Amino acid sequence: MREKSKFFRSLRFCIMVIMTFMSITAAVVVETTIVRSYEDRAVSQRSIIVKNQSDMICNQLAREGYMENQQNEVIDSQIRMLTSMYGGRILLVDKNYRIIRDSYDLDRGNYLISREVIQCFRGNETSQYDRKNQYIEMTVAISDPESENKDIIGVMLISVSTVEINNSRQVLEQKGMLILVITVLLILIFGFILSGILVNPFEKITSSLEDMTDGYLDERLSVNDYLETELISDAFNDVLDRIRILDESRQEFVSNVSHELKTPLASMKVLADVLNMQEDVPVEQYREFMQDISQEIDRENSIITDLLSLVKMDKKAQDLNIDTVNINEMLFLVLKRLNPIAAKANVELILDTFRPINAEVDQTKLTLAFSNLVENAIKYNKPEGGWVRISLNEDSKYFYVTVADSGIGIPEEAQNHIFERFYRVDKSHSREIGGTGLGLAITRSAIVMHRGAIKVHSTDGEGTTFSVRIPLLYNV
C-alpha cells in the first residue's frame, strides 16, 4: 500500500511538473513575442515619423539653398526642435562629403565618408536600428529642386534615441513577469487538482487489481471516466471472467481426479476388507477377489498414466520433437496395434489414403492422439458388425484426418464438452466400457500443440465423425 501511494504521488508530481514546464514555456514565448512585437512596432513608427519630418526639412533647406548658405534661422530652429524632441543628432553632408551642419557642433568642417552616406548619394536611403546602443540611424537624400533628374546635392544623417522605447519595453517585461508568476501559481494549483482527477481512475483500477491478487474475484471493475479506463476495465473484466472459468475448471478437475483415483482404491479396500473378515476363504473366492483387485490396480495405473500424458501435453510447444514423418505409415501402425481390440469387438477398421503424405510433426504425441480417437470409435461402436473408417488427405498447407464410426453417437448438448477432462456423456455406460475420461482431452492438447484443429460431428444413435486439420510444415 505504501509503494502504491508513493507511485501515485510521483505520478501526480510528474503531471504537475510537465504541466508547469509546458505552461511556463508557452508563457515565456508569448511574453517574448509580445515584447519584441511592441519594440519592433514602436521603432517602426518612430522611424516613419522621423523620416517624414526629415523629408520636410530636407525639402525646405533645398529650396532655401541651405547647402550653400547655412544662415537660416528657420531651418536651424527646425533642426534644433527635431533633435531636442527625440534626443538625437543631425549631420548635413554636402556632395564633397564635408559636414556643413552638426547639431552638436562637434564635427562641422570634417569629412564623413561612410557606407550609408555613399549609398544615399547613389539614391539608396538607409535606416537601421541599433538595439544595443538604443538609437535609430537613417540617411535622407537632399535633392536639387531645380534639377530635372533630382540630383542629390547632400545627405542628412540622423541619429534618434530610443531610450524611452527601451524603458517602456522594460516596464512591459516587468508586468509580463508578474503575470507569469501569477500564472505559474494558478497552474500549480490547477495542476494539483487536475492531476488528482486524472490519476483517480487509475487508482481505482490499481485497487481492484490488488483485490484480485488478494483473492476477491466476485466484483467486476467499472471505471468509465475516460475511454482508456473504460477499455482497461473491459479488458480486466474479460481476464477476470477467464480466471473465474479457469478456477472453476481447476476445482472441477481436482474434484474429478480425486474421485477417479479414490474409486479404485475404495473398491480394493472393500475387497480386501471382505477377505480379512472371513476365515478359511475358499481358493476360488480368494482368486476372484484378487483378480478384481488386480483390475482396479490396472485401472488406477491407467488413470495415472493418462494424467501424466495430459501434464506433458500442457507443457509449452518447444517440448515437441518435430521431425518429418510419413503420416500414412503412422496411421497404418496405429490401426495395426488396435486391430486385435477391433477384432474382439467385431469392428472393421478401414484406412483410406489417396497419396503419400509427409509432415513435420511429433510422431509420439500424434500417434497417441489418433490412437485415442480410433480406440474410442471402437469402444463406442455397435455391438455387432460395426466399422471405423480413417481417411487421410492433404492440400497445399494442411493434411486432414477423419475418424468416422457407426457407433452410438454423441448427443448434441454434450458435443461442446467432450474435450473436457473427465467428461463422460453417459457415466454408467462409460464405466462398463472403461477408460478414464481423459483421452479426448489428451487428443485435443496434442493437436493444438501442432497448431492444428479438431472438430466433431455426430448424430445420436447414428455414429460420430472427428475431423482433424494439421499444418504440413510446423514453422510456417
Side-chain angles (χ1 to χ4, degrees):
M1 183 64 69
R2 183 179 300 173
E3 292 181 356
K4 184 188 76 170
S5 300
K6 184 177 180 181
F7 168 75
F8 283 110
R9 284 199 301 270
S10 301
L11 181 60
R12 293 183 65 176
F13 176 75
C14 291
I15 293 174
M16 291 175 60
V17 169
I18 293 172
M19 290 182 61
T20 303
F21 175 75
M22 294 177 63
S23 301
I24 292 176
T25 303
V28 170
V29 171
V30 171
E31 181 195 11
T32 303
T33 303
I34 292 175
V35 171
R36 181 58 63 86
S37 177
Y38 161 77
E39 184 180 17
D40 293 342
R41 183 174 178 80
V43 170
S44 177
Q45 289 179 343
R46 176 66 58 84
S47 299
I48 292 173
I49 293 173
V50 172
K51 178 66 169 59
N52 292 335
Q53 294 180 351
S54 300
D55 285 338
M56 290 187 294
I57 294 175
C58 287
N59 291 334
Q60 187 175 357
L61 65 83
R63 289 193 305 269
E64 297 292 336
Y66 190 84
M67 299 302 296
E68 289 77 18
N69 182 11
Q70 288 81 39
Q71 303 300 321
N72 191 317
E73 288 296 329
V74 175
I75 294 177
D76 287 342
S77 64
Q78 290 179 352
I79 292 175
R80 285 193 298 271
M81 183 179 65
L82 182 61
T83 55
S84 63
M85 183 182 300
Y86 298 110
R89 182 183 183 185
I90 295 179
L91 300 175
L92 293 179
V93 181
D94 63 11
K95 59 184 178 180
N96 295 320
Y97 298 97
R98 187 172 65 88
I99 300 173
I100 63 174
R101 180 74 168 84
D102 182 0
S103 61
Y104 282 4
D105 290 329
L106 295 175
D107 294 325
R108 187 171 183 175
N110 295 332
Y111 288 89
L112 178 61
I113 304 175
S114 65
R115 181 172 57 85
E116 292 79 8
V117 173
I118 293 174
Q119 288 182 354
C120 190
F121 270 113
R122 292 176 179 176
N124 299 321
E125 296 180 338
T126 62
S127 177
Q128 60 182 4
Y129 172 51
D130 189 338
R131 181 175 283 103
K132 181 180 180 181
N133 297 312
Q134 302 178 21
Y135 69 86
I136 301 171
E137 184 179 83
M138 63 177 63
T139 57
V140 181
I142 304 172
S143 302
D144 185 0
E146 297 180 357
S147 173
E148 294 182 358
N149 297 326
K150 299 293 182 178
D151 295 334
I152 299 174
I153 60 176
V155 172
M156 177 184 284
L157 183 65
I158 310 156
S159 297
V160 179
S161 174
T162 59
V163 174
E164 69 276 14
I165 295 177
N166 183 65
N167 292 336
S168 299
R169 180 180 62 82
Q170 291 179 352
V171 172
L172 189 61
E173 286 179 344
Q174 292 174 358
K175 292 182 178 180
M177 186 59 65
L178 178 61
I179 295 174
L180 178 61
V181 172
I182 295 174
T183 303
V184 170
L185 292 176
L186 293 175
I187 288 172
L188 286 174
I189 297 173
F190 176 74
F192 180 79
I193 298 173
L194 182 61
S195 62
I197 296 174
L198 292 175
V199 171
N200 185 55
F202 296 98
E203 289 188 20
K204 294 179 183 177
I205 293 175
T206 303
S207 298
S208 298
L209 290 173
E210 288 182 347
D211 291 341
M212 186 184 73
T213 57
D214 292 336
Y216 298 99
L217 303 178
D218 297 331
E219 297 183 1
R220 295 179 65 82
L221 181 62
S222 179
V223 183
N224 301 325
D225 300 62
Y226 317 118
L227 175 61
E228 291 79 4
T229 57
E230 185 177 357
L231 294 175
I232 292 174
S233 298
D234 293 340
F236 174 80
N237 290 329
D238 290 341
V239 172
L240 200 59
D241 291 339
R242 293 184 181 182
I243 291 175
R244 292 193 187 102
I245 293 172
L246 289 175
D247 188 59
E248 292 173 359
S249 176
R250 177 185 60 81
Q251 294 177 3
E252 183 180 359
F253 176 71
V254 171
S255 175
N256 289 334
V257 169
S258 301
H259 175 74
E260 293 294 333
L261 291 177
K262 286 176 65 177
T263 300
L265 290 175
S267 298
M268 287 186 284
K269 181 70 166 58
V270 170
L271 293 171
D273 288 343
V274 171
L275 290 177
N276 288 330
M277 288 188 299
Q278 296 182 14
E279 295 182 1
D280 298 328
V281 179
V283 176
E284 294 77 9
Q285 185 179 359
Y286 183 84
R287 288 179 178 175
E288 180 183 353
F289 279 25
M290 292 303 296
Q291 185 177 2
D292 292 339
I293 292 175
S294 177
Q295 291 176 353
E296 294 298 330
I297 292 174
D298 291 339
R299 186 169 164 228
E300 185 90 7
N301 183 62
S302 178
I303 294 173
I304 294 173
T305 301
D306 283 351
L307 283 172
L308 292 175
S309 299
L310 195 59
V311 169
K312 291 180 181 179
M313 294 297 179
D314 285 339
K315 290 185 178 181
K316 295 182 179 178
Q318 55 258 35
D319 292 334
L320 290 174
N321 297 315
I322 300 299
D323 198 4
T324 301
V325 176
N326 186 296
I327 307 300
N328 308 67
E329 294 181 0
M330 183 183 71
L331 292 177
F332 177 78
L333 292 175
V334 168
L335 297 189
K336 182 178 180 181
R337 184 178 67 84
L338 294 176
N339 192 58
I341 299 175
K344 184 177 179 180
N346 197 22
V347 173
E348 181 184 6
L349 296 182
I350 305 168
L351 176 61
D352 293 332
T353 60
F354 301 94
R355 61 182 65 85
I357 297 176
N358 294 314
E360 296 178 356
V361 297
D362 184 321
Q363 184 171 0
T364 300
K365 290 183 173 58
L366 270 193
T367 297
L368 178 61
F370 291 126
S371 294
N372 286 336
L373 289 178
V374 176
E375 189 170 359
N376 280 352
I378 295 171
K379 288 180 180 179
Y380 295 96
N381 219 302
K382 293 179 181 179
E384 296 292 337
W387 53 265
V388 176
R389 182 181 295 274
I390 300 91
S391 301
L392 173 64
N393 208 340
E394 69 171 342
D395 59 18
S396 59
K397 293 183 178 181
Y398 303 94
F399 72 87
Y400 303 88
V401 176
T402 59
V403 179
D405 62 60
S406 59
I408 60 177
I410 303 172
E412 184 177 356
E413 64 274 9
Q415 293 178 18
N416 292 329
H417 304 282
I418 60 174
F419 296 107
E420 297 175 5
R421 300 167 183 181
F422 293 111
Y423 182 83
R424 287 193 174 99
V425 178
D426 185 348
K427 292 185 178 181
S428 60
H429 187 65
S430 297
R431 182 74 65 185
E432 295 174 1
I433 295 176
T436 63
L438 294 172
L440 289 180
I442 294 172
T443 298
R444 183 181 181 279
S445 296
I447 292 171
V448 170
M449 288 179 73
H450 285 82
R451 302 172 185 172
I454 181 171
K455 294 182 179 180
V456 60
H457 175 75
S458 180
T459 302
D460 194 12
E462 296 184 6
T464 302
T465 300
F466 286 92
S467 301
V468 178
R469 184 195 68 189
I470 296 177
L472 292 169
L473 301 177
Y474 179 76
N475 292 320
V476 175

